[in-house]
Amino acid sequence: MTITRLTAAAALLAATALPALAETGLEYGPRPYYLIDKMDDGPLKEKLAACIGQTPTRTDFSIGHRGAPLMFPEHTVESNMAAARMGAGVLECDVTFTKDKELVCRHAQNDLHTTTNILTTELAGKCVTPFTPANGDAPARAECRTAELTLAEFKTLKPKMDAADKSATTPEAYQGGIAGFRTDLYTNGAQLMTHAESIRLFKALGARFTPELKSPAVDMPFDGFTQADYAQKMIDEYKAAGIPAKDVFAQSFDLSDILYWIENEPDFGAQAVYLDDRYEASDEDEGLIDPMDPATFKPTMQELADMGVNYIAPPMWMLVTVENGQIVPSVYAEKAQEAGLNIITWTLERSGPLATGGGWYFQSIADVTDNDGVYFELLDVLAQDVGVKGVFSDWPATVTFYANCMGI
């Protein structure tokens, strides 16, 4: 280790010397005010404008999605410190594992080629799919997994903004491709984290925890490491750190993980969050799912509740629709409410400018999404009408400002 390059461990020690971050030193920055200015005139805009100048306070309603990756490399010390400074009361580590079965923070087990500099290092030779340059209509491609690296090797990588230039003919050029509404201004010196390091950092920042157990890109069991071992190891790291179960919202898209925690770690299972991936909305509770096909069947909301599931987290667009030109709760949201499920949703501020409909996260309300002020309009419906308990955001200041203004 050189003096000029802090390790994540050194940054964590530094963070513990900054307790003021837990309660003071919070700031919104200019973005919430920019969004208010973009809103259509009306009572909501007037209410939010009246809150300009309020003192920021931390709120669990505001959840840092991988930290604050609108401008910081995701799942880094710096990204999460930025989110905490914006008042995010809950921070996320997406959890996967290395070759030596150590838990680290990555959005996917196979994203190192787009989130780190691995392709420009000697570790590129360990990638399951080596870099292949663009050729004619065929885009450049690569795939690099944490499961191919030991923890020591993983920690030598430098994080970058999640992006790839699919027209690249060299690994160096492939490092680009960052969306125009993001930036690489804050990538220099950014630090990767293990899951255990994230726990220490988030605790020092005064935040609660929402780790997501990511689906492995490798076949399980992996060298004897079963899915149950994986699910248990994640919880064990909170227990080893002395973190109360009430401060942990463990997530998974795999319902079997949620049910494992409910049965084997009931204190943690009570707040386990099922990331519901039924993405085809309809007037039926089951969506467009075939109940006779075990590979696609999803339980109804009431069946989930009967299983002991207390929290679900669908994408934002599943919770809303448009009626008479207004954003209103969807049938999905109403069924979840009827079953008494707590709802968390994702991901605000991930879509960039909204002038052209907002893309995937706004697809159910694209007809009324024509300016950046719709971020606050959607957030208001999610909070007041759907009754969500928290909102993931790539720029938590927006959610924090809204929650502080509304007394959430």
Side-chain angles (χ1 to χ4, degrees), residues 82-160:
R85 286 171 173 142
M86 295 179 206
V90 184
L91 298 175
E92 179 186 45
C93 169
D94 288 330
V95 178
T96 188
F97 57 86
T98 61
K99 184 177 182 179
D100 44 356
K101 308 181 192 71
E102 296 296 332
L103 303 185
V104 296
C105 299
R106 286 292 89 197
H107 178 63
Q109 191 172 53
N110 59 341
D111 72 0
L112 294 180
H113 52 291
T114 64
T115 63
T116 75
N117 69 332
I118 189 171
L119 292 176
T120 63
T121 75
E122 61 183 16
L123 293 173
K126 296 195 172 189
C127 294
V128 63
T129 302
F131 173 75
T132 303
N135 183 14
D137 293 334
R141 63 190 181 90
E143 182 182 346
C144 306
R145 300 172 175 174
T146 60
E148 295 153 1
L149 307 180
T150 65
L151 177 59
E153 290 170 332
F154 171 79
K155 293 299 288 286
T156 68
L157 299 176
K158 295 180 180 180
K160 69 179 192 69

Side-chain angles (χ1 to χ4, degrees), residues 207-391:
R208 299 171 86 185
F209 313 81
T210 185
E212 180 188 337
L213 196 74
K214 302 302 296 188
S215 297
V218 295
D219 292 335
M220 299 291 278
F222 175 76
D223 190 25
F225 191 54
T226 67
Q227 185 69 25
D229 293 336
Y230 181 29
Q232 187 62 52
K233 185 177 179 70
M234 189 181 84
I235 298 302
D236 285 346
E237 294 198 347
Y238 288 94
K239 294 166 73 173
I243 304 299
K246 65 179 179 61
D247 289 339
V248 181
F249 297 84
Q251 311 170 71
S252 180
F253 277 101
D254 188 339
L255 182 57
S256 65
D257 293 333
I258 305 298
L259 298 179
Y260 173 87
W261 292 322
I262 290 171
E263 180 178 355
N264 295 281
E265 292 286 352
D267 290 343
F268 289 88
Q271 291 192 161
V273 182
Y274 175 44
L275 297 161
D276 192 359
D277 62 354
R278 66 187 91 194
Y279 294 160
E280 297 185 52
S282 79
D283 289 338
E284 298 298 328
D285 197 357
E286 292 84 0
L288 301 179
I289 304 297
D290 181 1
M292 300 305 293
D293 181 358
T296 63
F297 175 65
K298 298 290 183 181
T300 66
M301 299 298 170
Q302 188 57 55
E303 287 170 340
L304 285 172
D306 292 344
M307 292 176 187
V309 176
N310 292 318
Y311 286 82
I312 60 169
M316 299 184 301
W317 68 268
M318 283 294 293
L319 296 170
V320 291
T321 188
V322 175
E323 290 184 1
N324 300 319
Q326 302 295 315
I327 303 172
V328 297
S330 66
V331 170
Y332 178 105
E334 292 170 352
K335 293 294 185 181
Q337 291 170 336
E338 290 173 7
L341 295 171
N342 297 296
I343 306 171
I344 297 170
T345 193
W346 43 276
T347 304
L348 205 73
E349 297 282 24
R350 193 158 182 82
S351 304
L354 302 183
T356 57
W360 194 82
Y361 289 93
F362 287 76
Q363 60 186 278
S364 65
I365 59 169
D367 291 346
V368 296
T369 302
D370 58 4
N371 71 84
D372 287 350
V374 178
Y375 274 118
F376 272 133
E377 294 175 17
L378 172 58
L379 185 56
D380 188 58
V381 173
L382 291 171
Q384 306 301 331
D385 300 328
V386 176
V388 300
K389 303 299 184 182
V391 179

Side-chain angles (χ1 to χ4, degrees), residues 139-203:
R141 63 190 181 90
E143 182 182 346
C144 306
R145 300 172 175 174
T146 60
E148 295 153 1
L149 307 180
T150 65
L151 177 59
E153 290 170 332
F154 171 79
K155 293 299 288 286
T156 68
L157 299 176
K158 295 180 180 180
K160 69 179 192 69
M161 295 297 284
D162 185 11
D165 184 349
K166 298 299 181 64
S167 67
T169 57
T170 66
E172 290 75 17
Y174 191 77
Q175 306 298 293
I178 300 171
F181 59 87
R182 297 182 185 270
T183 179
D184 64 356
L185 187 62
Y186 303 110
T187 58
N188 187 37
Q191 301 158 88
L192 299 173
M193 295 187 296
T194 67
H195 177 237
E197 287 173 342
S198 79
I199 294 172
R200 293 196 291 272
L201 177 62
F202 299 174
K203 181 180 179 180

